[in-house]
Amino acid sequence: MVNKLWRACLRQIAPCECQFCGQPSQRDFPLCRDCESDLPANHGCCPICAEPLTLSMQNPRPSNNLQAPPCGRCQQSSPPYHQALAPWLYRYPVDDLIKQVKYQRRLDHLPTLAGLLQKDITTSLEQHGRPDRLLPVPLHWRRLWQRGFNQAELLALQLAKDPELRPWQLRVDAQLCRRPQATPALEGLDRAERARCMRAAFTARRRIDGEYVVVVDDVMTSGSTASALTKVLLAQGASRVDVWCCARTAGLAY
């Protein structure tokens, strides 16, 4: 209660401006509710793989995707992870925010991306409990050296310190797994090609028997990366693996 009162007072003293319209956001991150309502929501998606089942951009977005039936692919053969959370479509301006973070070092957009995930993550936490650790998707050392940072790790750290999520005491463990293989760029590859590229891409440093792990990434396309990483975690004893990411592309499944 004290923290909420303090944040309310702080918003009055130094209002946070919406990065789209420039008006006070009336929230703890730079995006007002009106601008958020115009974003491309991934509602009606598959409750397992988050594959968009409808390209409708109408709002309000349902807060619980479990009300939708699984997609045909997941009904035939579910991915190794239990559930993927991806509340937004990888379309403008969400895709632009993510690209600016990744390729233009606009790290000031991270609070916005975390804020876009906060509501759905809170729902997941209330349903499934707090995970034992958040695992950002690892980068190969060469890609990390070239970029200078791992955007998935920065997003996970931003989620852990988000004002609304801080009471859950989310723990980020970026050292649990490593990416010893420098996989080629997956853009333009079909689902089978992506799966082949990600085969044996990750290794784990230790056992995690009985743990609930959440894989964190910025975008989910085919799900091949999340699936490959999940298989490694399950082999090391994880009891449940979920995926949290900001946006989901349409047209490919795991």
Side-chain angles (χ1 to χ4, degrees), residues 31-102:
L31 180 65
C32 69
R33 298 188 187 278
D34 287 341
C35 287
E36 181 180 2
S37 68
D38 292 332
L39 297 181
N42 185 22
H43 55 101
C45 65
C46 173
I48 299 176
C49 72
E51 173 76 5
L53 301 179
T54 173
L55 298 183
S56 171
M57 296 171 60
Q58 297 294 320
N59 279 289
R61 175 171 52 88
S63 60
N64 184 357
N65 286 331
L66 292 177
Q67 302 302 317
C71 67
R73 192 174 300 278
C74 284
Q75 291 182 36
Q76 294 178 6
S77 176
S78 293
Y81 50 82
H82 282 71
Q83 183 182 31
L85 183 158
W88 306 100
L89 293 172
Y90 191 61
R91 290 182 171 185
Y92 184 82
V94 176
D95 59 347
D96 194 49
L97 285 175
I98 293 172
K99 289 176 183 176
Q100 287 186 37
V101 170
K102 187 182 297 186

Side-chain angles (χ1 to χ4, degrees), residues 8-9 14 19 23 26-27 36 45 63 69 83 112 119 125 130 138 146 155 162-163 170 175 182-183 188 197-198:
C9 292
Q19 64 185 83
Q23 298 299 312
Q26 304 298 327
R27 307 164 85 174
E36 181 180 2
C45 65
S63 60
Q83 183 182 31
T112 303
K119 181 179 179 181
L125 291 169
R130 181 175 66 89
Q146 292 171 341
L155 177 59
D162 182 273
L170 299 174
Q175 303 304 315
T183 55
C197 287
M198 298 310 300

Side-chain angles (χ1 to χ4, degrees), residues 170-237:
L170 299 174
R171 174 191 174 196
V172 179
D173 185 354
Q175 303 304 315
L176 175 60
C177 292
R178 54 190 295 265
R179 192 168 187 163
Q181 291 191 15
T183 55
L186 301 181
E187 186 175 357
L189 302 181
D190 63 25
R191 185 170 55 252
E193 292 170 331
R194 288 168 180 262
R196 282 195 296 270
C197 287
M198 298 310 300
R199 190 175 299 137
F202 302 104
T203 59
R205 299 178 186 273
R206 58 186 178 275
R207 298 284 301 179
I208 47 172
D209 295 308
E211 291 195 7
Y212 169 29
V213 182
V214 168
V215 173
V216 178
D217 207 356
D218 52 356
V219 183
M220 189 173 184
T221 303
S222 69
S224 57
T225 298
S227 292
L229 192 50
T230 297
K231 290 176 182 178
V232 171
L233 297 171
L234 294 176
Q236 293 300 317

